[in-house]
Amino acid sequence: MTYRVCLVCMGNICRSPMAEAVLRHTLTEQGLAKRVMVDSAGTGGWHAGDPMDERALRTLTDHGYDGSAHRARQFTEDWFDRYDLVLAMDRDNLAFLRRMAPLGSEVRLFRSFDPNAPEGAEVPDPYYGGTEGFEEVLELVRAASEGIVKHIADEID
């Protein structure tokens, strides 16, 4: 059995692909990589087919993660059939996903798995800022990834 998770932001070139790389790495460290499939997508399609933002990729690379193969994709309603868990980076994307989600779909905020994050905490969009925003995103997704892996482990065991 493969557990499937999709991480979703607006354009799928910054936050969600960074989170995808970190979550895959964390799953590998916990010995769960062969049992879990991780994808990412955007609610918008304007970047579909594009590589990750070079600042996001540089931040990942500088910290030992690989995001070089990433190509942006758009999340569509029929994708809910493919995933056990869909995680949004912010409340706007969460609302968008919940409007199209079939009953019974598990759609949550990514940071809801970080025990130190306040309720409703988001991963901010670093696109219009400098490198410090990408470093912040990396720290936030690292903090939540451990909780996501624990949740997934509980679900598959």
Side-chain angles (χ1 to χ4, degrees):
M1 176 181 137
T2 300
Y3 189 89
R4 298 156 305 169
V5 60
C6 189
L7 314 174
V8 183
C9 67
M10 191 71 69
N12 193 221
I13 60 168
C14 297
R15 295 174 288 175
S16 58
M18 290 180 74
E20 178 184 352
V22 171
L23 186 56
R24 276 196 181 132
H25 180 85
T26 307
L27 286 161
T28 299
E29 287 182 333
Q30 298 298 320
L32 295 172
K34 292 182 180 178
R35 297 180 67 193
V36 182
M37 180 187 76
V38 181
D39 282 325
S40 66
T43 54
W46 53 91
H47 290 295
D50 291 347
M52 189 183 309
D53 180 284
E54 63 185 50
R55 298 165 297 172
L57 182 58
R58 188 175 328 111
T59 301
L60 286 174
T61 302
D62 288 350
H63 292 275
Y65 301 98
D66 181 16
S68 61
H70 177 77
R71 293 296 174 267
R73 301 180 309 154
Q74 183 176 10
F75 192 97
T76 58
E77 189 173 344
D78 62 316
W79 284 30
F80 282 105
D81 293 337
R82 302 180 198 174
Y83 296 100
D84 300 294
L85 177 63
V86 177
L87 299 176
M89 295 294 125
D90 60 47
R91 289 185 294 275
D92 288 341
N93 287 299
L94 178 67
F96 179 89
L97 291 165
R98 284 186 171 163
R99 280 193 300 273
M100 72 168 137
L103 286 176
S105 299
E106 188 171 7
V107 184
R108 295 176 57 179
L109 280 171
F110 187 88
R111 289 195 64 205
S112 67
F113 291 93
D114 178 352
N116 298 315
E119 187 170 333
E122 302 176 302
V123 178
D125 190 348
Y127 186 77
Y128 294 104
T131 33
E132 66 282 345
F134 292 88
E135 291 288 337
E136 178 186 15
V137 166
L138 180 62
E139 290 309 310
L140 294 174
V141 299
R142 279 178 167 168
S145 288
E146 292 291 333
I148 294 167
V149 170
K150 182 182 180 329
H151 173 80
I152 292 170
D154 290 345
E155 290 288 310
I156 63 178
D157 285 338

